[in-house]
Amino acid sequence: MENAIVIPCYNEAKRLDISTFNNFLAQKNDYTICFVNDGSSDNTLEILKDFQQNHQGRVYVYDAPQNNGKAEAIRSGINYMLQYTKAKKIGFMDADLATSFDDYENLVDSFHDDSDNDGMVIGSRTRVKTANIQRTAFRSASSNMFNKAIQWIIGLKINDTQCGAKVFTRKTASTLFRNAFISRWLFDIELLMRMRNKYGKQSMIKKFKEVRLSKWTEVEGSKITLKDAIQFPIQLVRIALNYNFKPAVKQSPSKLLSQSYKLVKSFLF
């Protein structure tokens, strides 16, 4: 299979649209799907196993014994597919299909022909006139503010770091998903910072694309709790310390001061 999609699942029994997954696999012979059951307490695993039986060789199910969060679920699924398939492009999307398969395919098609190169393509829910992006006003406003702080920390203008659809070449995936993430939910930021730290800003720009989605619908049933949301600023600081401050300390005190200024400014303005 040329392409592999990892889909994290935690108590998704009521939201899994099996018919849509069936139709996609029937139409696309060059795709395979890996569902990661992240310690679900409902019958998600049973549904996934039944679906797998009907698609031998096309559908994989990775069963995590306990809930470890979205970041680890996706990392486990990516590494599983790297080990057991020869997929040239590997990515992930959400189980609720808030991002459509058509848009996911568009991300895959945005790569250059040479799939051996390093590369990363992410979806963007940036509101444009031609896009059908359905989000609540509060979520849209809070997302914009949050993303502004993230841009300062990363040091690159990326419109939407948190979109749940991202695709990587095999080589890049094997590098970015090798080690565990700091955050259960903000790992998307860590992926970008890992790529930036590995290649440098200028080289990363050549290996990275952000592609607007044509449609994205906010689906009820988010797994992010109020407790998780409250911890986001703390997690952002931890990420900044790990990916900005530690490398800066190794390089020079002046760079450390510059990174400190950017971090403070991102939260004050």
Side-chain angles (χ1 to χ4, degrees):
M1 297 299 172
E2 295 290 328
N3 305 290
I5 307 175
V6 172
I7 300 179
C9 300
Y10 175 64
N11 291 344
E12 298 286 355
K14 295 181 179 180
R15 300 204 303 175
L16 283 169
D17 188 349
I18 294 300
S19 62
T20 299
F21 286 110
N22 263 319
N23 292 337
F24 176 73
L25 290 174
Q27 296 171 15
K28 305 295 177 179
N29 293 325
D30 57 340
Y31 277 83
T32 186
I33 297 176
C34 175
F35 293 96
V36 179
N37 178 51
D38 189 24
S40 298
S41 57
D42 62 3
N43 63 326
T44 294
L45 181 60
E46 180 182 343
I47 293 173
L48 296 179
K49 288 290 188 180
D50 287 343
F51 186 63
Q52 182 185 31
Q53 287 297 319
N54 296 324
H55 297 279
Q56 292 291 337
R58 301 286 309 280
V59 173
Y60 295 79
V61 176
Y62 180 92
D63 183 27
Q66 62 183 24
N67 177 250
N68 294 310
K70 185 177 181 180
E72 185 58 25
I74 290 177
R75 193 178 78 89
S76 297
I78 294 286
N79 285 313
Y80 187 83
M81 296 306 276
L82 285 170
Q83 181 177 358
Y84 292 104
T85 74
K86 296 182 179 180
K88 294 182 178 180
K89 297 182 183 68
I90 303 177
F92 60 85
M93 59 191 295
D94 293 329
D96 58 19
L97 299 179
T99 300
S100 69
F101 280 120
D102 287 342
D103 271 321
Y104 185 90
E105 287 184 80
N106 189 38
L107 299 185
V108 173
D109 293 340
S110 297
F111 280 98
H112 295 297
D113 292 335
D114 187 357
S115 60
D116 291 331
N117 286 336
D118 292 296
M120 174 181 183
V121 177
I122 71 174
S124 175
R125 298 162 295 182
T126 304
R127 190 181 297 278
V128 291
K129 292 181 180 179
T130 57
N132 181 16
I133 310 295
Q134 299 178 30
R135 309 178 75 184
T136 64
F138 173 77
R139 184 162 182 174
S140 181
S142 59
S143 178
N144 289 336
M145 293 176 62
F146 188 65
N147 200 57
K148 184 178 179 181
I150 293 170
Q151 287 181 11
W152 277 105
I153 293 173
I154 297 177
L156 292 167
K157 183 174 176 54
I158 299 174
N159 293 311
D160 187 0
T161 62
Q162 300 308 110
C163 178
K166 293 178 173 63
V167 188
F168 313 83
T169 60
R170 184 180 186 89
K171 184 177 179 181
T172 297
S174 64
T175 299
L176 300 186
F177 290 91
R178 184 175 300 147
N179 299 319
F181 296 102
I182 295 172
S183 172
R184 288 167 62 96
W185 296 105
L186 303 183
F187 69 98
D188 303 81
I189 303 170
E190 294 186 62
L191 286 170
L192 293 164
M193 298 182 82
R194 287 179 180 186
M195 194 166 186
R196 182 207 65 186
N197 287 0
K198 178 176 175 58
Y199 301 109
K201 290 183 183 180
Q202 296 306 315
S203 295
M204 176 184 171
I205 292 173
K206 299 176 182 179
K207 303 173 185 292
F208 168 83
K209 286 185 181 180
E210 186 173 14
V211 178
R212 286 171 177 161
L213 303 181
S214 63
K215 181 179 180 180
W216 188 87
T217 304
E218 183 177 335
V219 181
E220 293 184 1
S222 172
K223 304 301 186 300
I224 300 177
T225 65
L226 179 60
K227 181 180 179 181
D228 292 325
I230 292 174
Q231 292 179 348
F232 281 176
I234 298 173
Q235 292 181 27
L236 261 184
V237 171
R238 289 184 62 202
I239 290 170
L241 287 171
N242 190 76
Y243 293 97
N244 285 346
F245 285 70
K246 285 184 179 180
V249 168
K250 293 180 180 179
Q251 293 180 26
S252 68
S254 61
K255 187 166 185 178
L256 174 60
L257 289 174
S258 175
Q259 296 289 0
S260 301
Y261 171 74
K262 285 184 178 181
L263 179 63
V264 172
K265 186 174 180 180
S266 68
F267 283 100
L268 294 180
F269 302 101

